[in-house]
Amino acid sequence: MKRKLLYVEDETDLGNVTRQYLELMDFSVDWCCSGTEAINLYQKNHADYNLVIIDIQLPDIDGFGVAGKIRERNPDVYFLFLTARKEKPDRVKGLTLGAVDYICKPFDIDELVLRIRNIIWHQIPQAQRQKELVSNVLNIGDLRLNKNLLELSIPGQIPITLTQREAELLEYLNKNRNIIIRREEILVQIWGESDYFLGRSLDVFIVRLRKLLAVSSNVKINNVYGVGFIFSVAGMEKL
């Protein structure tokens, strides 16, 4: 089930890019460009939202006012501020209003995703958490990927924290282990489209994953010149 977010940001370019990325990360996102629109939407659909993300500098009602109105409707709402306002009084005010987090712009989008997932994780009942923990751990040869924590465990070493994109790419390669995976297929599945510049990004991520996998005794990424890659897991059958 997709988690639903209400996102309030009046800067069009930033709002659009952030919304698209969050949707790519499997969230459902309602994006509003004004405080009034956000309040009205929350009033109608308050039970649907797992988290509200609010900018402070909005064209009509500031983010603090939006948070206050939303809390009047639902005192137990989970919300965070995502704003360029970095001054300590603003941070204190935001947290005093009940925000679970206060993130300053510019921000790292993968870090934002991780923070959102951590917040939503604590809303889940304990029994369901245990089920999701099991389903979110992948055994990849002699490695283990915890998708929830974005951690790659390597025998005899401290777990390595991956970026969201690295974890997604590793999971996709593992789903297609021991067969030829075309570059275009990877780009469309992970990035949503295939072009030259995204192809260069893929090459960078492959190099980084290779370095991480270098300590594994049975997992590696092989090039198939002009075609793509083979994610090789020795002695393991394809899942």
Side-chain angles (χ1 to χ4, degrees):
M1 181 183 68
K2 287 190 176 184
R3 312 301 185 183
K4 192 162 187 177
L5 311 175
L6 177 58
Y7 175 43
V8 193
E9 170 61 65
D10 68 313
E11 188 178 333
T12 305
D13 289 342
L14 175 62
N16 189 46
V17 169
T18 303
R19 175 185 60 80
Q20 289 184 28
Y21 194 84
L22 291 174
E23 289 178 342
L24 188 62
M25 295 298 103
D26 209 31
F27 294 106
S28 175
V29 184
D30 285 342
W31 170 35
C32 301
C33 294
S34 72
T36 301
E37 183 185 1
I39 292 168
N40 290 337
L41 195 58
Y42 189 84
Q43 295 283 2
K44 294 177 183 177
N45 306 299
H46 67 94
D48 296 340
Y49 296 115
N50 297 99
L51 180 67
V52 184
I53 304 170
I54 309 172
D55 184 21
I56 293 175
Q57 294 174 279
L58 298 171
D60 49 357
I61 307 169
D62 72 19
F64 296 134
V66 173
K69 288 291 185 183
I70 286 177
R71 290 211 74 189
E72 288 178 9
R73 182 66 180 83
N74 177 15
D76 298 322
V77 62
Y78 285 79
F79 68 94
L80 66 82
F81 288 109
L82 183 60
T83 176
R85 298 268 286 269
K86 302 179 181 180
E87 294 79 9
K88 181 178 178 180
D90 289 323
R91 297 198 306 272
V92 171
K93 184 175 182 179
L95 295 172
T96 301
L97 281 170
V100 291
D101 211 339
Y102 190 105
I103 303 172
C104 294
K105 301 175 183 177
F107 60 93
D108 181 271
I109 189 66
D110 287 320
E111 181 181 350
L112 174 64
V113 169
L114 188 56
R115 287 176 183 245
I116 290 171
R117 285 183 170 162
N118 285 341
I119 291 168
I120 292 175
W121 177 251
H122 288 93
Q123 302 174 26
I124 301 173
Q126 184 65 29
Q128 186 179 342
R129 283 193 211 175
Q130 293 302 318
K131 292 180 181 178
E132 292 199 12
L133 276 174
V134 173
S135 65
N136 278 314
V137 173
L138 291 178
N139 292 311
I140 306 173
D142 55 357
L143 309 177
R144 175 171 292 189
L145 173 65
N146 187 316
K147 296 189 291 179
N148 197 55
L149 299 178
L150 298 181
E151 283 187 350
L152 182 65
S153 299
I154 300 173
Q157 296 193 24
I158 297 173
I160 298 168
T161 300
L162 305 180
T163 66
Q164 185 70 43
R165 186 68 80 196
E166 286 170 340
E168 288 173 349
L169 178 56
L170 182 57
E171 181 181 5
Y172 183 76
L173 293 173
N174 183 58
K175 285 180 180 177
N176 297 278
R177 58 169 65 174
N178 297 332
I179 61 174
I180 296 175
I181 315 170
R182 295 183 176 276
R183 292 173 58 86
E184 294 79 8
E185 294 173 5
I186 299 173
L187 290 169
V188 170
Q189 291 296 320
I190 304 298
W191 275 268
E193 58 182 311
S194 174
D195 63 27
Y196 172 80
F197 297 104
L198 291 177
R200 301 304 297 165
S201 294
L202 172 59
D203 291 337
V204 171
F205 277 97
I206 290 292
V207 169
R208 289 165 63 178
L209 283 181
R210 276 203 178 104
K211 289 180 179 179
L212 296 177
L213 299 176
V215 297
S216 171
S217 62
N218 61 2
V219 180
K220 59 182 177 178
I221 303 172
N222 296 314
N223 280 337
V224 180
Y225 184 75
V227 179
F229 309 95
I230 295 178
F231 186 73
S232 174
V233 183
M236 305 290 293
E237 295 183 356
K238 179 178 176 292
L239 291 180

